[in-house]
Structure formats: structure tokens, C-alpha cells
Amino acid sequence: MVIVQLRYQYRIALTPGQRIRAARVFGCRRVVWNDALAVQKLRKASNKLLGNPKARLAEGPYQPVPKNAELGKTLITAAKKSAEREFLSDAPVGVMQQTLRDLDGAWKAHEDSKTGNRRGPKVAPPRFKSKKDNRQTARFTRSDRFSVTDGGRLRLPKIGEVRVKWSRDLPSAPSSVTLIKDCSGRYWVSFVVETDPAADMLPPTDRDQGIDLGLDRFAVLADGSQIASPKYLRRAEKKLKKRQRELSRKKKGSSNRDKARIKVARAHAKVADSRRNFHHQWSHKLTRENQAVFTETLNVRGGLARTRLAKSVHDAGWAQFVTFCEYKAIRRGRSSAKVARDFPSSQICSACGYCDGPKPLHIRAWTCANCGTRHDRDWNAGRNVLHEGRRIRAADTTAPPTPGPGASRR
């Protein structure tokens, strides 16, 4: 049986005493991270000066970079017995050990990014953490013995029993829980649970959907229906400008500036939460009602976000919406696909297939020169995305399997 790991996130409410104890846990985690990173960066820098072992640049011994087990003994177990680091007893041991594992994962992501073993943009090396960082996290593992009480509270070691706003039930016992303090001062807990994907599968349907994403209208579907653009950022701009002006007038380092910063962060968080909820609702509806969902491949970071429409593009949040559609389609036994970035969805007549070249953005309706069909630009693009997506799906199902590395190629 295939098991899938998912994250379930909930809002929590901490008492003033619990906030102080949570800040201590965050501080201990930060100290362990910084101490381990300082040791590793010093070793890596000294080894780098010697050059490649096969073509040395200088004479001297290569120093081994300490692993998690060695760092745990020196920076956690032994450090708690010293006067300088005795405060590390205010945090669970499992949280600090998980910090070392997270640091190891950060180094691995950086190295894989340099060697090409990791897809996507380059990953920077891990940096030192500051107590002024607006976002703080701490992960509790099973060794910390966290639990959910009969009264529905979450018992976290060194913090106590916290009230959780349960928006839905956990499908299984969690393997870990992460305590999060976001930049707006809100607290969350994120559980990692294991689920059976068969429980989320939906019965098959014969409907497919093509989606053309836009700005004036968030999306136009191949069946002719439209999704209005909520424009959350545009609607909140007036309030955001006021909050940011208040922040700019406060003295740096003062308590009033910190209060003003939190107000700005909460205003931005409200916009982001509203946009995320909008994307969840429509991605849920589309993947539930259609067997396949086809979207465009948009170059947001490389092109669209560098134009005069950049603010509107980021306000729409196309990438997040497409990501939601993809993972929800997989969970429900549906399929999703992206058409090629160079596919001319706005140039092809969806009735006869004739391509009459590119059109400027101000042309929202046009008539096909071949068959005379009058098209709405976005609706026509959505239908073309649907046709191209079906073609891609058919090609994938009929293509022969790719031979493995040990298979015969005769």
C-alpha cells in the first residue's frame, strides 16, 4: 500500500507565559544552528584554500567537516553543562537535534544545486539566524513526546498545553509537529501525517477543462464560463499605503516601530490569506468536477513579472493556483498537464485550426480569416489549451515505455 505524507496546519492561541517559553525554544534552536554553522563554515573555508585534493593549491591537512552525531555531542550535550550554554535546557533535545538535521539538509540542497542534481534556481548556502528574524520555527519529533490531550489541546514539551483551532480532524497520528511564529505575530502548528491516497480518489468523469489565465478575468474556461479576478492587493492598497507611511515615520529600533511593522505584516498577511483561500476553492472545484485540467506554462519570473503589469501579475498568483490544481488532481486520481510555453493559444482558431499570427493585447475579440468565426480572445485560448492538453495526454498514453539503464537497445 502506498502511503502519502501531508501537512495539516492549524492556528493556535498561546498564553503570555507560553509565548515566553516558545521564544526560549526558538532562541535555543537559533543558537544551536549558528554554533553548528560557524564550525562547518570554518572547516569548509579552510579546506577550500587547499584546493582540489587532486590539484592542491597549498600544503596542509584537510579537516573533516563534523557530522550531526559529533555536533550533537559537543554543541548540545556538552554545551548544556557549561555556564555559557546552560540555557539550552529550556528547549527539548529533539528540537535541537532536528535543527542539526535541517542544517545538514540545507547544505545538501546547496551542494546539489551547484552540481546540477537539484532542479530549479540556485540555492544559496545556509546563513546565520538572527533573533530579529520575523519568522521563527521549531520542529518537535516523536522523541519529544508531544501529544493531543482528550480535551483537544496540544501538549508541547517545555511550552505546555496550547489551544488549537481545529478546522478539520487529523487523518492519522502525526509523526512531527512544527511550531511556527509568522512575521505578523501569529502562531501556527503544522502536523505531518500519513494518509492512504485511495481515500481521496474520486470516481472518473468524462469532462476535461482548459484554463486561460488572465488579469481582467482571473481565468476563462474552455466551456465558456469565467472566474472573476478578486484583485485582493489592489483592493487593500489604500490601507497598505497608510500602514507603510506610519511605519516609515517611526524611529528605528523603537517599540512603536515594531508595533507599526506588525500592523503592516498583518495587512499583507490578510491579502495573502484571502488569495490563498480563493485559489484553494477554485482548484478544489475544478479538480473535483473534471477528469483533467490543462493550463498554460507561464514565464512569470522571467518575463511577466518584469513588465508594467508586474503588480497585477503577482496579485493574481497564477503559479500558486496552478500548483494547487496539480497536487489536488494527483490526490483525487485526476490528471493535469501544462501546454508548452511557446504554444500560440491566442493565435489559433479553435474552430478550424488556422493560425493567423500574433495579436496585440488590446485586441480582445477577432474574426478568423479562414472560416469567419468570431472569437473572444480568452475563450478561444482556453479551448485551444484544452485541445492541446488532450493531444499531450494521448501522446503520453500511446508512447512506448522508456527502456531502463540496463535494458537492451538493439
mmCIF file of all heavy atoms in Angstrom, residues 211 283-284 286-287 293-297 318-339:
data_model
loop_
_atom_site.group_PDB
_atom_site.id
_atom_site.type_symbol
_atom_site.label_atom_id
_atom_site.label_comp_id
_atom_site.label_asym_id
_atom_site.label_seq_id
_atom_site.Cartn_x
_atom_site.Cartn_y
_atom_site.Cartn_z
ATOM 1 N N ILE A 211 -7.844 25.956 -19.257
ATOM 2 C CA ILE A 211 -7.885 27.208 -18.500
ATOM 3 C C ILE A 211 -6.948 28.211 -19.148
ATOM 4 O O ILE A 211 -5.759 27.925 -19.354
ATOM 5 C CB ILE A 211 -7.474 26.981 -17.030
ATOM 6 C CG1 ILE A 211 -8.346 25.898 -16.389
ATOM 7 C CG2 ILE A 211 -7.556 28.267 -16.238
ATOM 8 C CD1 ILE A 211 -7.918 25.540 -14.981
ATOM 9 N N SER A 283 -9.414 25.688 -7.239
ATOM 10 C CA SER A 283 -8.682 24.472 -7.608
ATOM 11 C C SER A 283 -9.428 23.229 -7.125
ATOM 12 O O SER A 283 -9.443 22.201 -7.808
ATOM 13 C CB SER A 283 -7.263 24.515 -7.037
ATOM 14 O OG SER A 283 -7.284 24.610 -5.625
ATOM 15 N N HIS A 284 -10.065 23.319 -5.952
ATOM 16 C CA HIS A 284 -10.873 22.200 -5.454
ATOM 17 C C HIS A 284 -12.056 21.939 -6.383
ATOM 18 O O HIS A 284 -12.335 20.787 -6.746
ATOM 19 C CB HIS A 284 -11.366 22.533 -4.044
ATOM 20 C CG HIS A 284 -12.353 21.542 -3.497
ATOM 21 N ND1 HIS A 284 -11.977 20.351 -2.921
ATOM 22 C CD2 HIS A 284 -13.709 21.568 -3.454
ATOM 23 C CE1 HIS A 284 -13.059 19.688 -2.544
ATOM 24 N NE2 HIS A 284 -14.120 20.406 -2.849
ATOM 25 N N LEU A 286 -12.457 22.790 -9.625
ATOM 26 C CA LEU A 286 -12.075 22.359 -10.966
ATOM 27 C C LEU A 286 -11.588 20.916 -10.982
ATOM 28 O O LEU A 286 -11.918 20.145 -11.894
ATOM 29 C CB LEU A 286 -10.996 23.291 -11.525
ATOM 30 C CG LEU A 286 -11.459 24.715 -11.855
ATOM 31 C CD1 LEU A 286 -10.268 25.593 -12.219
ATOM 32 C CD2 LEU A 286 -12.468 24.700 -13.000
ATOM 33 N N THR A 287 -10.786 20.522 -10.008
ATOM 34 C CA THR A 287 -10.277 19.144 -9.981
ATOM 35 C C THR A 287 -11.340 18.155 -9.547
ATOM 36 O O THR A 287 -11.229 16.959 -9.830
ATOM 37 C CB THR A 287 -9.071 19.040 -9.040
ATOM 38 O OG1 THR A 287 -9.424 19.533 -7.740
ATOM 39 C CG2 THR A 287 -7.897 19.846 -9.567
ATOM 40 N N VAL A 293 -7.338 18.678 -16.030
ATOM 41 C CA VAL A 293 -7.255 20.135 -16.022
ATOM 42 C C VAL A 293 -5.977 20.520 -16.750
ATOM 43 O O VAL A 293 -4.881 20.085 -16.369
ATOM 44 C CB VAL A 293 -7.251 20.694 -14.589
ATOM 45 C CG1 VAL A 293 -7.080 22.198 -14.598
ATOM 46 C CG2 VAL A 293 -8.532 20.311 -13.863
ATOM 47 N N PHE A 294 -6.103 21.340 -17.789
ATOM 48 C CA PHE A 294 -4.968 21.748 -18.605
ATOM 49 C C PHE A 294 -4.769 23.259 -18.468
ATOM 50 O O PHE A 294 -5.733 24.033 -18.558
ATOM 51 C CB PHE A 294 -5.188 21.384 -20.073
ATOM 52 C CG PHE A 294 -5.521 19.937 -20.294
ATOM 53 C CD1 PHE A 294 -6.760 19.557 -20.771
ATOM 54 C CD2 PHE A 294 -4.596 18.949 -20.006
ATOM 55 C CE1 PHE A 294 -7.076 18.227 -20.968
ATOM 56 C CE2 PHE A 294 -4.894 17.610 -20.195
ATOM 57 C CZ PHE A 294 -6.142 17.244 -20.680
ATOM 58 N N THR A 295 -3.530 23.673 -18.250
ATOM 59 C CA THR A 295 -3.201 25.079 -18.054
ATOM 60 C C THR A 295 -2.030 25.468 -18.947
ATOM 61 O O THR A 295 -1.399 24.625 -19.578
ATOM 62 C CB THR A 295 -2.843 25.362 -16.588
ATOM 63 O OG1 THR A 295 -1.732 24.523 -16.212
ATOM 64 C CG2 THR A 295 -4.013 25.080 -15.667
ATOM 65 N N GLU A 296 -1.751 26.760 -18.956
ATOM 66 C CA GLU A 296 -0.629 27.281 -19.720
ATOM 67 C C GLU A 296 0.662 27.201 -18.905
ATOM 68 O O GLU A 296 0.632 27.135 -17.678
ATOM 69 C CB GLU A 296 -0.876 28.744 -20.098
ATOM 70 C CG GLU A 296 -2.157 28.981 -20.863
ATOM 71 C CD GLU A 296 -2.463 30.452 -20.963
ATOM 72 O OE1 GLU A 296 -3.022 31.008 -20.005
ATOM 73 O OE2 GLU A 296 -2.150 31.054 -22.005
ATOM 74 N N THR A 297 1.786 27.228 -19.586
ATOM 75 C CA THR A 297 3.088 27.346 -18.942
ATOM 76 C C THR A 297 3.505 28.810 -19.033
ATOM 77 O O THR A 297 3.874 29.289 -20.105
ATOM 78 C CB THR A 297 4.129 26.449 -19.615
ATOM 79 O OG1 THR A 297 3.685 25.083 -19.553
ATOM 80 C CG2 THR A 297 5.473 26.555 -18.905
ATOM 81 N N TRP A 318 -0.838 33.341 -10.252
ATOM 82 C CA TRP A 318 -1.090 32.210 -11.143
ATOM 83 C C TRP A 318 -0.304 30.963 -10.748
ATOM 84 O O TRP A 318 -0.828 29.853 -10.802
ATOM 85 C CB TRP A 318 -0.721 32.597 -12.578
ATOM 86 C CG TRP A 318 -1.558 33.678 -13.164
ATOM 87 C CD1 TRP A 318 -2.885 33.905 -12.921
ATOM 88 C CD2 TRP A 318 -1.151 34.671 -14.113
ATOM 89 N NE1 TRP A 318 -3.327 34.980 -13.647
ATOM 90 C CE2 TRP A 318 -2.280 35.465 -14.403
ATOM 91 C CE3 TRP A 318 0.045 34.955 -14.754
ATOM 92 C CZ2 TRP A 318 -2.246 36.531 -15.281
ATOM 93 C CZ3 TRP A 318 0.097 36.019 -15.642
ATOM 94 C CH2 TRP A 318 -1.040 36.797 -15.903
ATOM 95 N N ALA A 319 0.962 31.139 -10.370
ATOM 96 C CA ALA A 319 1.804 29.969 -10.072
ATOM 97 C C ALA A 319 1.230 29.166 -8.908
ATOM 98 O O ALA A 319 1.206 27.927 -8.939
ATOM 99 C CB ALA A 319 3.237 30.416 -9.764
ATOM 100 N N GLN A 320 0.762 29.851 -7.876
ATOM 101 C CA GLN A 320 0.186 29.149 -6.730
ATOM 102 C C GLN A 320 -1.086 28.416 -7.128
ATOM 103 O O GLN A 320 -1.308 27.264 -6.717
ATOM 104 C CB GLN A 320 -0.124 30.152 -5.610
ATOM 105 C CG GLN A 320 -0.741 29.533 -4.376
ATOM 106 C CD GLN A 320 -0.933 30.538 -3.255
ATOM 107 O OE1 GLN A 320 -0.174 30.565 -2.292
ATOM 108 N NE2 GLN A 320 -1.952 31.373 -3.370
ATOM 109 N N PHE A 321 -1.912 29.037 -7.934
ATOM 110 C CA PHE A 321 -3.151 28.392 -8.384
ATOM 111 C C PHE A 321 -2.858 27.137 -9.196
ATOM 112 O O PHE A 321 -3.481 26.092 -8.996
ATOM 113 C CB PHE A 321 -3.973 29.389 -9.199
ATOM 114 C CG PHE A 321 -5.177 28.789 -9.849
ATOM 115 C CD1 PHE A 321 -6.294 28.449 -9.106
ATOM 116 C CD2 PHE A 321 -5.203 28.558 -11.227
ATOM 117 C CE1 PHE A 321 -7.410 27.890 -9.710
ATOM 118 C CE2 PHE A 321 -6.311 28.005 -11.833
ATOM 119 C CZ PHE A 321 -7.421 27.671 -11.068
ATOM 120 N N VAL A 322 -1.910 27.204 -10.116
ATOM 121 C CA VAL A 322 -1.567 26.041 -10.948
ATOM 122 C C VAL A 322 -0.987 24.923 -10.077
ATOM 123 O O VAL A 322 -1.301 23.745 -10.271
ATOM 124 C CB VAL A 322 -0.579 26.453 -12.050
ATOM 125 C CG1 VAL A 322 -0.058 25.228 -12.795
ATOM 126 C CG2 VAL A 322 -1.249 27.415 -13.027
ATOM 127 N N THR A 323 -0.160 25.300 -9.091
ATOM 128 C CA THR A 323 0.394 24.289 -8.183
ATOM 129 C C THR A 323 -0.702 23.584 -7.399
ATOM 130 O O THR A 323 -0.683 22.348 -7.234
ATOM 131 C CB THR A 323 1.384 24.946 -7.216
ATOM 132 O OG1 THR A 323 2.439 25.561 -7.959
ATOM 133 C CG2 THR A 323 1.985 23.918 -6.270
ATOM 134 N N PHE A 324 -1.686 24.339 -6.917
ATOM 135 C CA PHE A 324 -2.810 23.740 -6.200
ATOM 136 C C PHE A 324 -3.581 22.781 -7.094
ATOM 137 O O PHE A 324 -3.979 21.686 -6.668
ATOM 138 C CB PHE A 324 -3.738 24.828 -5.672
ATOM 139 C CG PHE A 324 -3.199 25.593 -4.498
ATOM 140 C CD1 PHE A 324 -3.904 26.661 -3.962
ATOM 141 C CD2 PHE A 324 -1.992 25.259 -3.922
ATOM 142 C CE1 PHE A 324 -3.413 27.369 -2.877
ATOM 143 C CE2 PHE A 324 -1.478 25.954 -2.843
ATOM 144 C CZ PHE A 324 -2.203 27.019 -2.315
ATOM 145 N N CYS A 325 -3.816 23.176 -8.344
ATOM 146 C CA CYS A 325 -4.534 22.303 -9.273
ATOM 147 C C CYS A 325 -3.767 20.999 -9.513
ATOM 148 O O CYS A 325 -4.375 19.922 -9.582
ATOM 149 C CB CYS A 325 -4.769 23.025 -10.597
ATOM 150 S SG CYS A 325 -6.010 24.341 -10.535
ATOM 151 N N GLU A 326 -2.450 21.095 -9.620
ATOM 152 C CA GLU A 326 -1.643 19.910 -9.913
ATOM 153 C C GLU A 326 -1.678 18.904 -8.762
ATOM 154 O O GLU A 326 -1.931 17.715 -8.978
ATOM 155 C CB GLU A 326 -0.204 20.332 -10.210
ATOM 156 C CG GLU A 326 -0.034 21.045 -11.537
ATOM 157 C CD GLU A 326 1.370 21.542 -11.767
ATOM 158 O OE1 GLU A 326 2.142 21.628 -10.776
ATOM 159 O OE2 GLU A 326 1.718 21.841 -12.917
ATOM 160 N N TYR A 327 -1.437 19.381 -7.527
ATOM 161 C CA TYR A 327 -1.363 18.402 -6.440
ATOM 162 C C TYR A 327 -2.745 17.871 -6.066
ATOM 163 O O TYR A 327 -2.884 16.709 -5.663
ATOM 164 C CB TYR A 327 -0.636 18.998 -5.226
ATOM 165 C CG TYR A 327 -1.476 19.703 -4.203
ATOM 166 C CD1 TYR A 327 -2.183 18.992 -3.229
ATOM 167 C CD2 TYR A 327 -1.555 21.093 -4.160
ATOM 168 C CE1 TYR A 327 -2.937 19.645 -2.277
ATOM 169 C CE2 TYR A 327 -2.296 21.751 -3.221
ATOM 170 C CZ TYR A 327 -2.992 21.018 -2.274
ATOM 171 O OH TYR A 327 -3.748 21.670 -1.322
ATOM 172 N N LYS A 328 -3.795 18.674 -6.224
ATOM 173 C CA LYS A 328 -5.138 18.174 -5.924
ATOM 174 C C LYS A 328 -5.604 17.192 -6.989
ATOM 175 O O LYS A 328 -6.336 16.236 -6.677
ATOM 176 C CB LYS A 328 -6.112 19.345 -5.813
ATOM 177 C CG LYS A 328 -5.883 20.184 -4.565
ATOM 178 C CD LYS A 328 -6.880 21.297 -4.425
ATOM 179 C CE LYS A 328 -6.583 22.102 -3.158
ATOM 180 N NZ LYS A 328 -7.548 23.183 -2.930
ATOM 181 N N ALA A 329 -5.181 17.396 -8.226
ATOM 182 C CA ALA A 329 -5.510 16.435 -9.274
ATOM 183 C C ALA A 329 -4.865 15.081 -8.997
ATOM 184 O O ALA A 329 -5.495 14.033 -9.171
ATOM 185 C CB ALA A 329 -5.071 16.974 -10.631
ATOM 186 N N ILE A 330 -3.630 15.095 -8.532
ATOM 187 C CA ILE A 330 -2.942 13.840 -8.215
ATOM 188 C C ILE A 330 -3.626 13.133 -7.060
ATOM 189 O O ILE A 330 -3.849 11.915 -7.084
ATOM 190 C CB ILE A 330 -1.465 14.118 -7.897
ATOM 191 C CG1 ILE A 330 -0.742 14.661 -9.135
ATOM 192 C CG2 ILE A 330 -0.770 12.872 -7.383
ATOM 193 C CD1 ILE A 330 0.673 15.105 -8.875
ATOM 194 N N ARG A 331 -3.999 13.877 -6.020
ATOM 195 C CA ARG A 331 -4.635 13.270 -4.852
ATOM 196 C C ARG A 331 -5.984 12.646 -5.194
ATOM 197 O O ARG A 331 -6.366 11.633 -4.599
ATOM 198 C CB ARG A 331 -4.842 14.322 -3.757
ATOM 199 C CG ARG A 331 -3.585 14.700 -2.999
ATOM 200 C CD ARG A 331 -3.938 15.592 -1.829
ATOM 201 N NE ARG A 331 -4.823 14.918 -0.891
ATOM 202 C CZ ARG A 331 -5.415 15.514 0.142
ATOM 203 N NH1 ARG A 331 -5.213 16.800 0.347
ATOM 204 N NH2 ARG A 331 -6.193 14.836 0.952
ATOM 205 N N ARG A 332 -6.707 13.205 -6.151
ATOM 206 C CA ARG A 332 -8.058 12.740 -6.451
ATOM 207 C C ARG A 332 -8.106 11.783 -7.633
ATOM 208 O O ARG A 332 -9.178 11.465 -8.130
ATOM 209 C CB ARG A 332 -8.959 13.944 -6.718
ATOM 210 C CG ARG A 332 -9.087 14.857 -5.499
ATOM 211 C CD ARG A 332 -10.146 15.896 -5.711
ATOM 212 N NE ARG A 332 -10.371 16.591 -4.455
ATOM 213 C CZ ARG A 332 -10.162 17.885 -4.267
ATOM 214 N NH1 ARG A 332 -9.692 18.631 -5.252
ATOM 215 N NH2 ARG A 332 -10.417 18.452 -3.093
ATOM 216 N N GLY A 333 -6.946 11.364 -8.123
ATOM 217 C CA GLY A 333 -6.941 10.450 -9.255
ATOM 218 C C GLY A 333 -7.242 11.123 -10.569
ATOM 219 O O GLY A 333 -7.590 10.456 -11.552
ATOM 220 N N ARG A 334 -7.108 12.439 -10.623
ATOM 221 C CA ARG A 334 -7.309 13.182 -11.861
ATOM 222 C C ARG A 334 -5.956 13.386 -12.546
ATOM 223 O O ARG A 334 -4.920 12.993 -12.027
ATOM 224 C CB ARG A 334 -7.951 14.537 -11.583
ATOM 225 C CG ARG A 334 -9.221 14.518 -10.739
ATOM 226 C CD ARG A 334 -10.290 13.663 -11.315
ATOM 227 N NE ARG A 334 -11.604 14.018 -10.805
ATOM 228 C CZ ARG A 334 -12.654 13.236 -10.849
ATOM 229 N NH1 ARG A 334 -12.541 12.017 -11.359
ATOM 230 N NH2 ARG A 334 -13.830 13.624 -10.393
ATOM 231 N N SER A 335 -5.971 14.038 -13.669
ATOM 232 C CA SER A 335 -4.731 14.334 -14.379
ATOM 233 C C SER A 335 -4.665 15.829 -14.668
ATOM 234 O O SER A 335 -5.693 16.509 -14.766
ATOM 235 C CB SER A 335 -4.640 13.547 -15.685
ATOM 236 O OG SER A 335 -5.718 13.882 -16.545
ATOM 237 N N SER A 336 -3.462 16.321 -14.781
ATOM 238 C CA SER A 336 -3.236 17.724 -15.124
ATOM 239 C C SER A 336 -2.007 17.798 -16.019
ATOM 240 O O SER A 336 -1.112 16.960 -15.931
ATOM 241 C CB SER A 336 -3.027 18.571 -13.862
ATOM 242 O OG SER A 336 -1.844 18.177 -13.193
ATOM 243 N N ALA A 337 -1.981 18.805 -16.858
ATOM 244 C CA ALA A 337 -0.854 18.978 -17.771
ATOM 245 C C ALA A 337 -0.738 20.443 -18.138
ATOM 246 O O ALA A 337 -1.709 21.206 -18.075
ATOM 247 C CB ALA A 337 -1.034 18.126 -19.028
ATOM 248 N N LYS A 338 0.484 20.836 -18.505
ATOM 249 C CA LYS A 338 0.753 22.190 -18.965
ATOM 250 C C LYS A 338 1.136 22.133 -20.435
ATOM 251 O O LYS A 338 1.969 21.308 -20.833
ATOM 252 C CB LYS A 338 1.905 22.820 -18.172
ATOM 253 C CG LYS A 338 1.605 23.092 -16.719
ATOM 254 C CD LYS A 338 2.820 23.740 -16.056
ATOM 255 C CE LYS A 338 2.584 24.008 -14.589
ATOM 256 N NZ LYS A 338 3.787 24.628 -13.953
ATOM 257 N N VAL A 339 0.537 23.003 -21.217
ATOM 258 C CA VAL A 339 0.927 23.087 -22.622
ATOM 259 C C VAL A 339 2.256 23.825 -22.707
ATOM 260 O O VAL A 339 2.660 24.527 -21.786
ATOM 261 C CB VAL A 339 -0.154 23.792 -23.457
ATOM 262 C CG1 VAL A 339 -1.481 23.071 -23.341
ATOM 263 C CG2 VAL A 339 -0.308 25.250 -23.029
#
